[in-house]
Amino acid sequence: MARDYIRTDEPAAGLQRLVARFHGHAYDPHRHETYAIGHTLSGAQAFRYRGGERVSFTGQCMVLHPDEIHDGHAGVPEGFVYRMIYVEPWLLREALGGK
């Protein structure tokens, strides 16, 4: 079985990227101060978010809003691999012309 991992890039102004693989339990409930925009590369990523159980399957994307509690675990026995970019809210406001 492949090992779990998290790899991150050097942060850039307002952005942080990662790629990760998990089998079984991935992470406990937590929150981010950023938007988290993810793409499931393989498997299924299951997570509790906004009071419900969600699943992101291979090829699907997800968006988690700042300060929203969520957790993560594999939704299939083979686990999951995903990419995530964390975007500071100010960067989105700037891209939208301050709105």
Side-chain angles (χ1 to χ4, degrees):
M1 177 187 291
R3 300 187 75 126
D4 293 350
Y5 63 82
I6 298 175
R7 295 184 188 124
T8 59
D9 290 342
E10 285 295 319
L15 301 171
Q16 173 71 58
R17 295 187 323 164
L18 70 75
V19 62
R21 171 192 295 265
F22 290 105
H23 297 83
H25 175 78
Y27 37 85
D28 293 329
H30 65 285
R31 55 173 280 292
H32 303 277
E33 294 179 358
T34 62
Y35 287 93
I37 304 166
H39 179 226
T40 304
L41 302 174
S42 68
Q45 179 176 0
F47 55 101
R48 284 181 279 286
Y49 179 68
R50 292 187 172 179
E53 181 77 11
R54 317 286 185 190
V55 180
S56 177
F57 294 98
T58 300
Q60 293 184 322
C61 294
M62 67 202 100
V63 177
L64 307 177
H65 290 249
D67 297 320
E68 296 276 355
I69 300 291
H70 61 284
D71 65 1
H73 56 281
V76 292
E78 61 269 20
F80 64 99
V81 178
Y82 71 106
R83 290 187 186 278
M84 189 72 74
I85 187 166
Y86 300 98
V87 183
E88 294 284 346
W90 66 263
L91 194 57
L92 290 179
R93 275 192 307 277
E94 186 177 286
L96 295 171
K99 297 180 182 181

